Amino acid sequence: SYVLTQPPSVSVAPGQTARIPCGGNNIGTKSVHWYQQKAGQAPVLVIYDDTDRPSGIPARISGSNSGSTAILTISGVEAGDEADYYCHVWDRSRDVVFGGGTKLTVL
Amino acid sequence: EVQLVQSGAEVKKPGESLTISCKGSGYGFSSYWIAWVRQMPGKGLEWVASFYPGDPDPTFSPSFQGHVSVSVDKSISTAYLQWTSLKASDTAMYYCARRMAGSRAPNQPYFDYWGRGTLVTVSS
């Protein structure tokens, strides 16, 4: 079955750039989606189809996907960006696959 | 405005049955797949099942197949997740989410709207 690997945590100072990787076998051939989940809240879609942002998501949140790694990038990190971030792909053998999640800590 | 409104928190004993619900509004409920997603305390997201309101054949994660069932009442735009015999390990937050097919990759959908979740606690 397909596996998505994320680091458990990423830390960054305010104003800096956070990069959250999501690894998977030939993930560059799949469409990767990203969700932000703040403490005590439901997940929110922040990136779909590798690079697209839903309306209301700021341009400083972006995504890329190539080879074996997809990356969620948050520029000019703010305290309000502190959350868990999950990558997601669709896999024919298991339908929905989520990464284990990465906790973004703003120092 | 698209909304998925989930039923309230539940406290049950092991072996009891339970049905939780997810009511969609602000869109054509019968035209979009719905998924159920579990989040155990302090853990990540796990896909439970997906189904199309107009199709009686849902897709289950192997981890949940045979332990839960899903159903829908299209007349009231409501989806259900059901257990006949709960276990303590079912204690978790359960989310429903609307599945959307992207324009660039329609066969690799994502979840564009989520309910706020239903907390299920199973304890003797």
Side-chain angles (χ1 to χ4, degrees), chain A residues 14-26:
Chain A
Q16 300 302 302
T17 297
R19 294 179 178 84
I20 299 174
C22 173
N25 184 34
N26 287 325

Side-chain angles (χ1 to χ4, degrees), chain A residues 17-69:
Chain A
T17 297
R19 294 179 178 84
I20 299 174
C22 173
N25 184 34
N26 287 325
I27 196 173
T29 63
K30 297 181 178 294
S31 283
V32 180
H33 320 301
W34 292 90
Y35 305 91
Q36 175 194 69
Q37 186 179 33
K38 296 183 178 179
Q41 298 184 22
V44 172
L45 177 72
V46 293
I47 292 289
Y48 64 97
D49 288 348
D50 297 337
T51 59
D52 293 346
R53 279 185 307 276
S55 61
I57 301 301
R60 58 190 187 81
I61 295 179
S62 62
S64 63
N65 184 19
S66 179
S68 61
T69 307

Side-chain angles (χ1 to χ4, degrees), chain A residues 4-16:
Chain A
L4 294 175
T5 301
Q6 296 183 242
S9 62
V10 167
S11 299
V12 64
Q16 300 302 302

Side-chain angles (χ1 to χ4, degrees), chain B residues 33-107:
Chain B
W33 286 72
I34 291 285
W36 288 98
V37 175
R38 182 177 81 172
Q39 187 168 39
M40 299 178 76
K43 302 298 184 182
L45 305 175
E46 301 174 271
W47 170 64
V48 176
S50 298
F51 69 96
Y52 189 70
D55 185 344
D57 190 17
T59 304
F60 289 91
S61 163
S63 300
F64 295 90
Q65 180 87 47
H67 185 54
V68 298
S69 60
V70 298
S71 62
V72 63
D73 186 338
K74 291 185 289 183
S75 69
I76 56 172
S77 302
T78 300
Y80 303 94
L81 181 64
Q82 300 159 298
W83 294 260
T84 56
S85 181
L86 286 160
K87 305 176 183 178
S89 57
D90 292 319
T91 294
M93 183 71 83
Y94 291 85
Y95 295 100
C96 62
R98 190 181 82 163
R99 196 175 97 172
M100 170 64 78
S103 57
R104 287 195 281 128
N107 63 338

